[in-house]
Every structure is written in structure tokens, then in C-alpha cells.
Amino acid sequence: MTVRLGVLDVGSNTIHLQVMDAHSGARPSPTTNFKVELRLTQFLNKSGTLSSEGITALHKAIASAVAHANENNVDEVIAFATSAVRDAKNSAEIIQEINERHQIDLQILTGDEEARMTFLAVRRWFGWSAGKLLMLDIGGGSLEIASGVDENPEATLSLPLGAARLTRDFLSGDPYSVKDVKFLEDYVVNNLEDQLSATLRSHDAHHFVATSKTFRTLARLSGYWFNDNPKYLEIANLEAMTAKLAVMSDKARAELPGVSASRAQQIVAGAIVARAVMDVLDIERVEICPWALREGIVLRRLDWLEG
């Protein structure tokens, strides 16, 4: 039986509703989507709470997304929130109010759950023949890493190294100063060195995969600047791109293919994290996977319906 699912992703960068027709054993088929760019990390104040302005904007975006879901006759809205809401000290009150006002069941994903759901999507996309996978995912608020041979990874890690978060906390000015960029580079490497488990360090993976918007944008830029296949991202090209992007103005970055005005600021931090994690894990090239967290959520839901 085919069901129409509305997957509502309350992320750190965007509120994104993806409507998909799906049934067990088949590839989920996207039908329509609705997106509101809302940098929730910018509304986190010094006390760690999401501001009233941010909460108001969040309600408005979710109301529009739910209306779009209803207009497209979804059977169920699967709603989840990631890093920005997860880290807010007032997240419990925010979630309760959202669910009561909009009649949905918004759940907060832990970093581990986010990594596991994304890994499931990657495994289903590439299949068993890909062998042991190592997956990287840079979001607006966090970095997720997962590795394993099955659909459930044997090791996961979620760190607050998202591109929007790091841009807000470490980078200012236009263009960014050399000092700030260097400080951020050191900060990211030190975090990775401190937090990576022995299992992830000695991953012995057969296939290295990257997902989501930051990596897709970087791969597109690699194709533009170096005539590389945009389905892949080489660390050698990434190193050169990071240096080029860091000295450009926001306007110049926004004029690059595939870089929206809203992403122009944070692509530098995203490149720094991508380069650092690939370097620390000794990865020379990643393959870009078109499936990520939302597809993983749908696949897990279908598994549950079948069971």
C-alpha cells in the first residue's frame, strides 16, 4: 500500500517539508517540497535559549509547512528537529507548544539518532556491495559521522561543528580575517582529535560517503573550479577551495554556481570542517550521496509499518 508522507525537518538552516509517496520495498518518490530558510542558530542567545523572535519565526514556518502538507493530502506528517532546537535550553517548552498549536508530533532527534538515520539512507542507496561505509554529514548545527557494515552503524559521533553554528561563533567581517579562519581551523581539528573514537579512527572502510547540502555544494564548486566530477569531492581540491573561499567576500561567494546568498557566509566554515574531518580520518575522496536524513526517516518509518 502506498502512503503519502510529509517529512518535516526542523533543521538549523531551514524548515523543510518533503512530501513523498512510498511503500515498502520501493524507492520513496518525492512529489513536492516546501522550504523556509530560517537560521535558528542565529536566534540562540547567550544563555542558550531560543529567543522569542526565533520562536515566532519558527511557528510561522511550521504553520506554512503543515498547510502545504494538508494541501497535498499527506497521510502522515513525520516531524523531527535537529541540532538548533536540540541544543536550546528551552527546547521542551518549544516542542510542547509547537505540537499543541499545529497538531503534529515533533520529536527531537539526538545526534546519535541523526547519524543512524542518515547512515541507513546511505546504506540503502549504495547497497551491500559497497562494503563497509564511512559516512560524513555536515549540517547547520552539527557534524555527524558513522561507520559500519550493516544498516545500523557500529560507531557514530555527533559534534557541534555545523557550518552555521561555527560561522556565527567564529567568523565575522567581510571578507573574513586570516586570524579568525586560522583559529577556526585549529578549533575544528582539536575537537576532532579529542572526540573521535578509536573505532572511527581505525574505520577500515571500503567506501567513503558524504551527504547533505554543504558537501553537495563543495562538490559542485570542485567541478566548477577543477573540472572534477561533482559526484565526488577530492581532499586536494578541497584544500585549494578552502583557501580561495576564505579570502572572498560574501558577494563574490554568492556569485559562484550552486552557492545561494544565504549559504555564502557559511560555506567557508563548511569547507573547513569537511577538510579537517577528511584529513583526520585519512580520506582522500568521498562520494556524494543524494539521500540523507529525511530519506532515512522515511525508510525507517516504512520498515516499522511493514513490521
Side-chain angles (χ1 to χ4, degrees):
M1 180 183 71
T2 298
V3 294
R4 174 162 288 188
L5 301 174
V7 186
L8 179 55
D9 179 354
V10 181
S12 300
N13 281 322
T14 59
I15 312 304
H16 190 170
L17 174 79
Q18 177 73 67
V19 177
M20 300 185 187
D21 288 334
H23 63 271
S24 181
R27 172 178 173 169
S29 176
T31 60
T32 181
N33 72 87
F34 175 86
K35 185 186 298 186
V36 176
E37 291 193 353
L38 181 62
R39 310 283 181 213
L40 284 176
T41 52
Q42 295 180 358
F43 295 102
L44 286 171
N45 56 38
K46 292 182 179 180
S47 67
T49 60
L50 194 64
S51 69
S52 58
E53 182 185 2
I55 294 171
T56 299
L58 180 58
H59 276 288
K60 182 179 179 181
I62 288 178
S64 297
V66 171
H68 186 83
N70 292 334
E71 289 167 4
N72 286 275
N73 301 312
V74 302
D75 297 304
E76 179 184 1
V77 173
I78 305 171
F80 60 91
T82 55
S83 177
V85 176
R86 179 169 70 226
D87 295 342
K89 290 185 178 179
N90 54 341
S91 62
E93 307 96 275
I94 293 170
I95 294 295
Q96 182 178 356
E97 186 178 358
I98 285 172
N99 288 338
E100 290 175 355
R101 184 183 299 185
H102 305 288
Q103 294 298 294
I104 59 175
D105 184 21
L106 179 64
Q107 299 289 325
I108 294 179
L109 291 184
T110 66
D112 177 72
E113 289 170 334
E114 193 172 344
R116 288 179 179 278
M117 291 299 100
T118 307
F119 186 86
L120 171 63
V122 170
R123 170 57 74 192
R124 293 279 177 93
W125 180 266
F126 287 106
W128 298 112
S129 63
K132 188 172 185 180
L133 295 172
L134 179 67
M135 177 217 78
L136 309 174
D137 180 359
I138 302 170
S142 60
L143 161 72
E144 273 71 46
I145 307 171
S147 177
V149 295
D150 298 319
E151 291 194 338
N152 290 314
E154 65 187 47
T156 64
L157 179 64
S158 179
L159 294 174
L161 297 177
R165 180 196 299 272
L166 295 179
T167 302
R168 180 200 65 185
D169 292 347
F170 294 96
L171 299 177
S172 60
D174 186 17
Y176 301 134
S177 73
V178 174
K179 181 180 178 181
D180 285 350
V181 170
K182 181 63 168 64
F183 185 87
L184 178 56
E185 289 173 338
D186 292 342
Y187 175 83
V188 172
V189 170
N190 289 337
N191 266 265
L192 290 168
E193 294 285 5
D194 290 343
Q195 298 296 326
L196 276 169
S197 66
T199 302
L200 285 173
R201 284 181 180 276
S202 58
H203 49 72
D204 66 343
H206 305 105
H207 205 116
F208 304 101
V209 180
T211 73
S212 299
K213 184 70 173 181
T214 294
F215 271 111
R216 288 199 302 271
T217 301
L218 291 169
R220 220 174 279 130
L221 287 175
S222 180
Y224 170 69
W225 271 328
F226 307 107
N227 199 31
D228 198 13
N229 186 337
K231 291 183 178 180
Y232 299 92
L233 180 60
E234 307 271 354
I235 191 169
N237 291 345
L238 183 54
E239 289 173 353
M241 283 195 302
T242 304
K244 288 167 70 77
L245 290 166
V247 298
M248 297 173 72
S249 67
D250 289 342
K251 183 176 183 296
R253 287 192 295 267
E255 292 172 350
L256 294 170
V259 182
S260 64
S262 60
R263 294 267 177 178
Q265 283 187 313
Q266 67 184 57
I267 193 61
V268 174
I272 288 171
V273 175
R275 184 184 65 175
V277 71
M278 289 177 68
D279 185 46
V280 171
L281 291 173
D282 196 26
I283 300 171
E284 293 186 1
R285 184 177 81 161
V286 291
E287 183 170 359
I288 307 300
C289 180
W291 278 7
L293 178 59
R294 284 186 293 275
E295 287 78 12
I297 294 287
V298 168
L299 292 167
R300 182 58 76 215
R301 180 62 173 159
L302 292 174
D303 289 346
W304 184 86
L305 289 172
E306 183 182 20

